[in-house]
Amino acid sequence: MITKTTVLGQTYQFRDLKEIFAKANEDKSGDQLAGIAAEDSRERVAAKQVLADLTLADIRNHPLLPPEEDEVSRVIEAGINEKIYNEIKNWSVSELREYLLSHQAGESEIRRISRGLSSEMIAATTKLMSNLDLITAAAKIRNITHCNTAIGQQGVLASRVQPNHPSDSIQGIKAALYEGLSYGIGDAVIGVNPVIDTSDSVKDILLMTKEVINKWEIPTQNCVLAHVSTQMRAIRQGAPADLIFQSLAGSEAGNQAFGIDVALLDEADELMRKEGTSTGPNIWYFETGQGSELSSEAHFGIDQLTMEARCYGLARKYQPFIVNTVVGFIGPEYLYDSRQVIRAGLEDHFMGKLHGLPMGCDVCYTNHMKVDQNDMDNLGILLSAAGVNFVIGVAMADDVMLNYQSTSFHDIAAFREVLGLRPAPAFEKWLEKMGIMEHGKLTAIAGDPTIFM
Amino acid sequence: MEQQLEYLVDKVVAELQKKLSERARNGSAKALGAFDGSESPVHVVEEERGANVPNPKWQEGMQELLDSTPARIGVWRTGVRPLTRTMLQLRRDHAAAVDAVYGEVQQSLLDEFSLFTVETQYDNTENYLKRPDMGRILNEEGVRLLLERCQKKPQVQIVVSDGLSASAVDANLRDVLPALLDSLTSYGLSCGTPFFVRGGRVASMDHIGELLQPEVLVLLIGERPGLVTAHSMSAYMCYRPRKGMVESERTVISNIHRQGTSPIEAGAHIGTILSKMLEQKASGVKLVL
């Protein structure tokens, strides 16, 4: 393994793979906070140069976080198809990048290669890609999943309607839900973040959303994004859940901070197979986001992009219906400004897709980041062009419970209109039946929430 | 005992509300005066919240929906984009939130309560946002000032900090602090030398605790601003603060602002909690409230 290179007359010797991985990243405040970022642009390029010439076998043979010490590493290792890996293990990271971008690599070729790749290999190639590389490669990969309905098809941009309320008022949640549906939003999921993490509260919201789905025969699925163990209690008490949700971290210690481990996820998976209300086979909803491992001091000196890739390695085990990165929620100490958020959004989407995941994105920011709604417009359009499975719809982008801004119902309607994208097929048929959409366009009554009263 | 406490809190709150409403009346008269003789017409944009949907299927239902949530619904659209005033309102609220992060607490307010200022190692706002660790430690000058000007080992130490919202301090301190001081007096508790920390994070209370060794410490700090309000404050309280405290050892009252936990009630409530901390010699999850 060669860890030395010369850039513009200066020689760089890197200590180990961890250092090469960290310094090859585009600039991120989180890597700086962790004290592992490149000193300057020149060192960054040197790290990229060294990384480009490493082989996939080099990466596998020098684990950043050994499987003996971490169960996420074990899940990732167990997921690798040895036959496919053996065919490509002598490729350099540079060759992997070029293959993914080449015309010979179509959707099914990429899907096959993906089974031989570890999360670290996927992270490595991401570090060598420009923003447009990430869009170009991701746009080739369609990962279609099915819960009650299917999403992820070519030409489809689905959406989660997120009708949160600051005190979990059932009427208030319903009001924002009606508003969202009237704009054609909610084909991926009706997903509510509860304030109160109790099984009773979760059950009430699941019952209400299920009732609305049944009453109006909406081809979608419901989910309440409480802690997985709270959802499990609600489900055991008979609450109707189409999907089960959990936030993931890229290390065992990071997951401990979330109060979960693989055994608990396995248990939830089994429970959903027996007591979930949906058709399946895909019954999981995961959220991730760069920086969460550093914030819980569970990153082991590994950069935040690589830790994020490892979340996808874990998610892959459960064949989820939807996954999204909550890209700008964590704050400026991890992603400082719009440049960093946009970059991270494109990285996460590509890495998720290359893992075979139905990847969405919560295109979002908090008010103490150097980001505004215009930046969300930009990232939303870029991801829609890259074929993102779904984005998040919040009334006027302002989440009154979580206190951050995402994308609005209007924004999603605009992404669809500008790029010629459509809602999920079954959902579009329903919108037509309701008179909200015609030939892929919103009608005169779209935007009136009282049609559901 | 508990009834007695509640009675005291209520009494303090009632008295303060009386005082403050008097002050507010005087204050608003002054503010109106400022508009007199203005040459250019002032365009005052009021908070507006009504449905814009031109012909809703059910008019009364629309009001019912609006009343049920603070979410921005019933906003209508032009094509697939929001109406201009809806869009501008969002921008206005975002501007208030950003100003709260990048703004500074009014010096006159700090003077009013005789709060002197110390700084953390934050250096500047950009660095403050990127390096939370530097907002947890006072700079050398700050350490010197504290040791020079503050009473050591007080029973109660009050600290005020801008945190992520300077305007939270501007908006709430005049209500919270007098209520808190009155409440402490009514419990017969003594208070050290209060001061203001510029560029502070919650855990700056650990460093301050090491330096001044109070029995209990309360930090009144601006919260991360949201769009509904950019003026929300939190009160973090701790028994014998010191380095290496974990989050579960702190007690917090959050969401202190006019539409949330009322600042006056919060002030009185903080006094009650501090007295319980002193009684039980504990804070955070170990404190029984």
Side-chain angles (χ1 to χ4, degrees):
Chain A
M1 193 169 83
I2 298 162
T3 56
K4 194 168 158 183
T5 191
T6 302
V7 173
L8 304 167
Q10 192 169 337
T11 301
Y12 291 89
Q13 170 67 60
F14 296 101
R15 197 175 54 247
D16 54 16
L17 203 57
K18 223 179 243 187
E19 186 181 19
I20 297 166
F21 264 55
K23 293 192 167 171
N25 273 352
E26 295 299 302
D27 199 19
K28 305 255 177 69
S29 52
D31 289 335
Q32 286 174 359
L33 179 64
I36 55 176
E39 287 291 322
D40 52 28
S41 309
R42 198 187 284 210
E43 192 185 26
R44 177 168 299 117
V45 176
K48 284 181 195 283
Q49 213 162 279
V50 168
L51 183 63
D53 291 334
L54 296 181
T55 65
L56 302 185
D58 286 335
I59 294 173
R60 193 170 184 197
N61 296 337
H62 299 84
L64 299 175
L65 185 50
E68 306 80 55
E69 295 164 25
D70 184 274
E71 69 173 5
V72 175
S73 298
R74 289 197 286 281
V75 169
I76 293 167
E77 265 296 303
I80 296 176
N81 178 297
E82 297 296 341
K83 286 226 166 63
I84 299 171
Y85 167 73
N86 275 311
E87 291 168 24
I88 58 174
K89 67 179 180 190
N90 293 323
W91 286 11
S92 67
V93 179
S94 160
E95 283 170 315
L96 175 60
R97 171 184 169 277
E98 288 174 8
Y99 177 77
L100 293 170
L101 292 166
S102 72
H103 282 144
Q104 81 191 86
E107 186 170 354
S108 61
E109 288 81 7
I110 294 179
R111 192 182 304 283
R112 183 167 184 281
I113 287 290
S114 142
R115 297 180 59 217
L117 297 174
S118 71
S119 300
E120 286 79 1
M121 297 170 201
I122 290 172
T125 189
T126 304
K127 293 165 197 279
L128 297 184
M129 288 196 168
S130 74
N131 286 7
L132 190 52
D133 291 349
L134 295 171
I135 294 171
T136 309
K140 295 193 201 184
I141 313 168
R142 304 306 315 188
N143 294 324
I144 301 170
T145 49
H146 191 283
C147 183
N148 289 327
T149 56
I151 67 164
Q153 305 88 337
Q154 183 74 40
V156 168
L157 173 63
S159 56
R160 164 182 165 193
V161 62
Q162 182 171 299
N164 295 342
H165 186 276
S167 60
D168 289 348
S169 152
I170 292 294
Q171 287 312 314
I173 294 169
K174 212 186 256 188
L177 168 59
Y178 289 168
E179 174 96 352
L181 291 171
S182 79
Y183 281 83
I185 310 305
D187 40 350
V189 62
I190 297 171
V192 182
N193 299 86
V195 185
I196 308 155
D197 203 286
T198 63
S199 55
D200 281 347
S201 178
V202 169
K203 192 175 169 185
D204 287 347
I205 302 170
L206 283 170
L207 280 168
M208 181 275 283
T209 47
K210 196 70 185 174
E211 191 187 297
V212 172
I213 288 173
N214 289 341
K215 180 174 177 192
W216 297 96
E217 300 175 320
I218 310 171
T220 187
Q221 26 280 319
N222 70 343
C223 187
V224 175
L225 290 78
H227 190 268
V228 67
S229 54
T230 314
Q231 294 169 81
M232 288 164 76
R233 274 200 302 280
I235 291 164
R236 286 192 178 112
Q237 288 163 20
D242 291 331
L243 286 166
I244 190 160
F245 166 84
Q246 181 54 42
S247 293
L248 298 181
S251 67
E252 188 175 338
N255 285 320
Q256 258 164 25
F258 282 147
I260 60 162
D261 57 19
V262 169
L264 182 63
L265 295 175
D266 287 348
E267 194 188 330
D269 189 75
E270 208 182 301
L271 178 70
M272 279 300 281
R273 305 275 157 218
K274 282 187 186 141
E275 308 218 17
T277 41
S278 56
T279 311
N282 310 111
I283 45 91
W284 274 100
Y285 177 6
F286 292 125
E287 278 190 342
T288 65
Q290 291 191 24
S292 65
E293 297 83 4
L294 175 58
S295 80
S296 60
E297 288 173 18
H299 64 107
F300 302 94
I302 301 167
D303 64 278
Q304 63 186 37
L305 181 151
T306 304
M307 292 309 284
E308 178 72 6
R310 291 167 50 87
C311 296
Y312 305 137
L314 174 58
R316 175 152 79 169
K317 175 178 195 276
Y318 298 96
Q319 303 181 333
F321 175 64
I322 42 177
V323 181
N324 68 262
T325 168
V326 193
V327 68
F329 189 71
I330 192 159
E333 60 267 47
Y334 304 94
L335 296 168
Y336 181 67
D337 56 13
S338 54
R339 194 182 149 101
Q340 296 186 9
V341 170
I342 288 172
R343 172 74 195 178
L346 296 175
E347 287 170 348
D348 294 355
H349 174 249
F350 164 74
M351 294 197 294
K353 281 283 168 74
L354 190 51
H355 275 86
L357 295 173
M359 200 62 198
C361 182
D362 188 350
V363 174
C364 64
Y365 64 106
T366 59
N367 292 317
H368 59 323
M369 296 167 78
K370 270 226 179 305
V371 177
D372 67 20
Q373 210 60 41
N374 287 327
D375 301 311
M376 300 300 98
D377 292 357
N378 293 349
L379 180 55
I381 281 286
L382 292 175
L383 283 170
S384 299
V388 71
N389 279 38
F390 71 105
V391 289
I392 308 289
V394 180
M396 281 305 293
D398 171 18
D399 191 302
V400 293
M401 191 289 258
L402 293 170
N403 272 328
Y404 77 123
Q405 286 89 252
S406 179
T407 40
S408 69
F409 305 145
H410 299 76
D411 293 343
I412 296 165
F415 300 152
R416 286 172 175 162
E417 193 164 297
V418 169
L419 294 170
L421 300 169
R422 307 290 272 258
F427 196 79
E428 185 176 342
K429 263 194 201 134
W430 174 79
L431 289 170
E432 284 177 354
K433 191 181 90 183
M434 292 295 299
I436 296 168
M437 188 172 263
E438 241 170 55
H439 311 297
K441 283 213 157 184
L442 292 179
T443 65
I445 68 158
D448 176 5
T450 68
I451 60 175
F452 293 102
M453 295 182 81
Chain B
M1 178 68 185
E2 197 155 310
Q3 271 175 335
Q4 224 173 339
L5 288 184
E6 272 174 32
Y7 171 75
L8 278 174
V9 170
D10 287 349
K11 210 176 122 187
V12 170
V13 168
E15 209 143 292
L16 269 157
Q17 257 157 354
K18 210 174 99 193
K19 272 191 223 164
L20 285 158
S21 67
E22 277 163 22
R23 189 156 62 197
R25 269 200 298 279
N26 299 336
S28 62
K30 263 182 233 150
L32 280 175
F35 286 100
D36 292 349
S38 159
E39 281 173 26
S40 57
V42 181
H43 186 68
V44 182
V45 184
E46 290 297 324
E47 286 291 314
E48 48 192 53
R49 192 157 183 275
N52 298 321
V53 180
N55 297 302
K57 192 173 167 218
W58 189 27
Q59 191 74 52
E60 297 77 25
M62 184 60 95
Q63 196 53 49
E64 198 181 297
L65 293 180
L66 282 175
D67 291 343
S68 69
T69 176
R72 293 165 204 253
I73 60 167
V75 293
W76 200 236
R77 60 195 174 84
T78 172
V80 289
R81 302 306 297 151
L83 301 182
T84 310
R85 64 173 168 174
T86 324
M87 185 269 288
L88 288 179
Q89 179 144 12
L90 187 77
R91 290 305 295 259
R92 212 158 56 228
D93 294 343
H94 184 245
V98 172
D99 282 355
V101 175
Y102 286 90
E104 292 218 357
V105 172
Q106 292 165 8
Q107 187 56 45
S108 58
L109 175 67
L110 301 177
D111 294 343
E112 200 177 314
F113 291 105
S114 311
L115 300 175
F116 69 94
T117 298
V118 297
E119 293 192 354
T120 64
Q121 300 184 343
Y122 82 107
D123 202 32
N124 58 60
T125 306
E126 179 178 330
N127 200 55
Y128 174 79
L129 294 171
K130 285 183 174 174
R131 294 290 302 272
D133 51 325
M134 293 172 98
R136 292 175 194 139
I137 302 167
L138 300 188
N139 64 16
E140 273 180 41
E141 175 67 7
V143 172
R144 195 186 61 76
L145 276 173
L146 277 205
L147 296 177
E148 193 180 287
R149 300 181 64 169
C150 288
Q151 182 199 329
K152 309 292 169 327
K153 301 190 177 179
Q155 197 170 23
V156 177
Q157 175 66 50
I158 299 174
V159 183
V160 180
S161 182
D162 44 8
L164 283 165
S165 171
S167 63
V169 175
D170 285 346
N172 300 304
L173 195 67
R174 274 196 188 90
D175 292 348
V176 173
L177 198 51
L180 170 57
L181 291 171
D182 279 13
S183 173
L184 293 179
T185 309
S186 70
Y187 286 113
L189 303 179
S190 70
C191 183
T193 323
F195 58 92
F196 173 73
V197 179
R198 187 171 289 135
R201 293 274 177 180
V202 171
S204 64
M205 59 205 287
D206 300 1
H207 190 204
I208 295 165
E210 292 278 326
L211 294 168
L212 299 180
Q213 302 181 345
E215 274 196 76
V216 292
L217 186 150
V218 54
L219 173 65
L220 303 168
I221 188 168
E223 285 178 8
R224 192 184 91 188
L227 292 198
V228 174
T229 177
H231 316 308
S232 191
M233 178 184 256
S234 285
Y236 283 86
M237 289 157 275
C238 194
Y239 180 75
R240 292 198 192 280
R242 67 215 168 270
K243 269 180 201 159
M245 303 279 301
V246 294
E247 290 311 313
S248 59
E249 290 177 90
R250 303 185 219 279
T251 302
V252 63
I253 302 177
S254 61
N255 227 14
I256 303 172
H257 58 93
R258 290 210 166 74
Q259 296 92 42
T261 304
S262 115
I264 297 175
E265 275 175 40
H269 191 43
I270 292 165
T272 308
I273 292 178
L274 292 176
S275 76
K276 291 200 175 183
M277 281 182 179
L278 287 164
E279 250 172 55
Q280 297 178 27
K281 300 190 186 304
S283 56
V285 290
K286 285 185 196 144
L287 183 73
V288 185
L289 286 173

